């Protein structure tokens, strides 16, 4: 296997499960030194163990942090820089849902989703920008969703957060392009993860009927796109939103 990101240093937020774990594993399999960031030390250490078992000899570790907290984000980035000397890849994958109709949605439901899904991108991107600019190299991948492009009833907070990630990505890409820092966005469709497991059978049936490929995606489908965007295969790609949705959009 070609190691497309050999010896690159990567941070993956929300990397303890689902899409994030698949991305962390894919990067590790292609030679990257990966740091997973998440809230739960138990889940994080479990993910590290799974990746090390699946990719013997890989370099993976975990730091517990609340990604919505700027000081904690700065601390994680500093620890990685102190250990490795540089950061080449940042994947802002952390995300949550708190679904309710707007008339029933509490302010805390709005604030927490925006904090985790959007402010985390601000926190980590700001923390890595200076070292990437000094190196005149870097790859930033932000995770949006097709819901940020279509909207969805009962998800005004989630839809708003994922639409914001798209705008954030396009603006930051223009700020950093001259320093050879690529900033792109992935918008997954309905991927089989613990988040989609919470959908009812009726909801799943309705969603599948709207997907031309008639199947849910797999986390590895998203991880493959992340690898492309993190590697030299995408040297002339920035400010883009790549949908991974089986034709849903």
């Amino acid at each position: 296997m070609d190691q497309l990101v050999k010896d690159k240093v990567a941070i993956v937020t929300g990397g303890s499960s689902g899409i994030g774990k698949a991305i962390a594993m894919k990067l590790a399999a292609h030679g990257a030194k990966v740091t997973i960031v998440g809230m739960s030390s138990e889940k994080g250490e479990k993910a590290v163990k799974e990746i090390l078992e699946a990719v013997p000899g890989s370099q993976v570790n975990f730091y517990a942090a609340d990604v919505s907290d700027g000081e904690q984000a700065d601390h994680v980035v500093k620890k990685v820089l102190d250990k490795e000397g540089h950061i080449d890849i940042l994947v802002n994958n952390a995300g949550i849902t708190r679904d309710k109709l707007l008339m029933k949605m509490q302010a805390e439901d709005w604030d927490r989703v925006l904090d985790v899904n959007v402010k985390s991108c601000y926190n980590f991107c700001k923390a890595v920008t200076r070292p990437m600019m000094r190196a005149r190299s870097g790859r930033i991948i932000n995770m949006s969703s097709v819901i940020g492009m279509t909207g969805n009833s009962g998800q005004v907070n989630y839809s708003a957060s994922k639409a914001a990630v798209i705008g954030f990505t396009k603006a930051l890409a223009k700020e950093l392009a001259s320093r050879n820092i690529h900033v792109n966005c992935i918008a997954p469709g309905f991927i089989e993860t613990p988040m989609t497991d919470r959908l009812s059978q009726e909801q799943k049936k309705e969603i599948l009927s709207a997907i031309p490929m008639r199947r849910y995606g797999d986390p590895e489908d998203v991880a493959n796109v992340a690898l492309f965007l993190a590697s030299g295969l995408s040297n002339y790609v920035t400010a883009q939103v790549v949908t991974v949705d089986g034709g849903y959009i």
Side-chain angles (χ1 to χ4, degrees):
M1 178 189 293
D2 292 334
Q3 292 196 311
L4 296 174
V5 287
K6 183 174 174 58
D7 296 328
K8 299 295 185 182
V9 177
I11 295 175
V12 181
T13 70
S16 299
S17 64
I19 290 171
K21 185 171 73 174
I23 291 172
M25 187 174 296
K26 183 68 67 173
L27 294 176
H30 281 265
K33 302 173 184 177
V34 181
T35 294
I36 292 170
V37 184
M39 289 283 286
S40 168
S41 294
E42 182 180 352
K43 287 183 179 179
E45 295 303 337
K46 182 182 177 184
V48 168
K49 183 179 178 181
E50 290 176 7
I51 294 171
L52 292 175
E53 288 175 351
V55 189
S58 58
Q59 298 184 55
V60 188
N61 62 359
F62 171 80
Y63 291 138
D66 179 349
V67 295
S68 69
D69 185 300
E71 289 186 2
Q72 292 188 44
D74 289 343
H75 184 62
V76 169
V77 169
K78 184 178 184 302
K79 287 171 77 172
V80 175
L81 286 171
D82 287 346
K83 181 181 179 183
E84 303 293 349
H86 56 103
I87 295 170
D88 305 291
I89 301 162
L90 169 64
V91 181
N92 283 306
N93 171 76
I96 62 169
T97 59
R98 287 193 177 179
D99 298 348
K100 289 177 184 174
L101 294 174
L102 179 62
M103 66 177 67
K104 297 181 179 179
M105 185 176 290
Q106 301 299 313
E108 62 190 47
D109 296 322
W110 171 271
D111 290 342
R112 187 58 182 160
V113 169
L114 271 291
D115 280 350
V116 174
N117 296 6
V118 184
K119 193 176 180 184
S120 63
C121 290
Y122 162 81
N123 289 336
F124 276 88
C125 286
K126 187 175 182 184
V128 304
T129 292
R130 286 188 186 279
M132 284 187 174
M133 288 178 71
R134 284 195 294 268
R136 299 191 70 85
S137 178
R139 305 288 173 132
I140 297 173
I141 302 164
N142 297 321
M143 200 62 62
S144 181
S145 166
V146 294
I147 300 304
M149 303 166 79
T150 65
N152 197 34
S153 176
Q155 289 191 306
V156 294
N157 50 1
Y158 185 76
S159 300
S161 73
K162 292 304 185 179
V165 169
I166 291 173
F168 177 96
T169 297
K170 288 180 175 290
L172 186 61
K174 292 183 177 183
E175 290 185 14
L176 300 180
S178 65
R179 298 300 182 98
N180 194 37
I181 300 170
H182 301 65
V183 189
N184 290 291
C185 190
I186 300 176
F190 292 90
I191 309 297
E192 288 187 303
T193 66
M195 191 177 287
T196 55
D197 285 344
R198 294 195 287 268
L199 297 171
S200 69
Q201 289 302 313
E202 185 177 339
Q203 288 174 312
K204 289 181 178 181
K205 185 177 179 181
E206 182 180 349
I207 290 165
L208 282 172
S209 70
I211 300 173
M213 293 188 75
R214 294 295 187 266
R215 70 170 179 87
Y216 283 118
D218 184 272
E220 187 160 351
D221 294 325
V222 183
N224 286 332
V225 175
L227 175 64
F228 165 73
L229 293 174
S231 75
L233 295 176
S234 59
N235 275 342
Y236 200 53
V237 179
T238 196
Q240 299 306 302
V241 181
V242 183
T243 55
V244 185
D245 66 353
Y248 178 79
I249 292 290

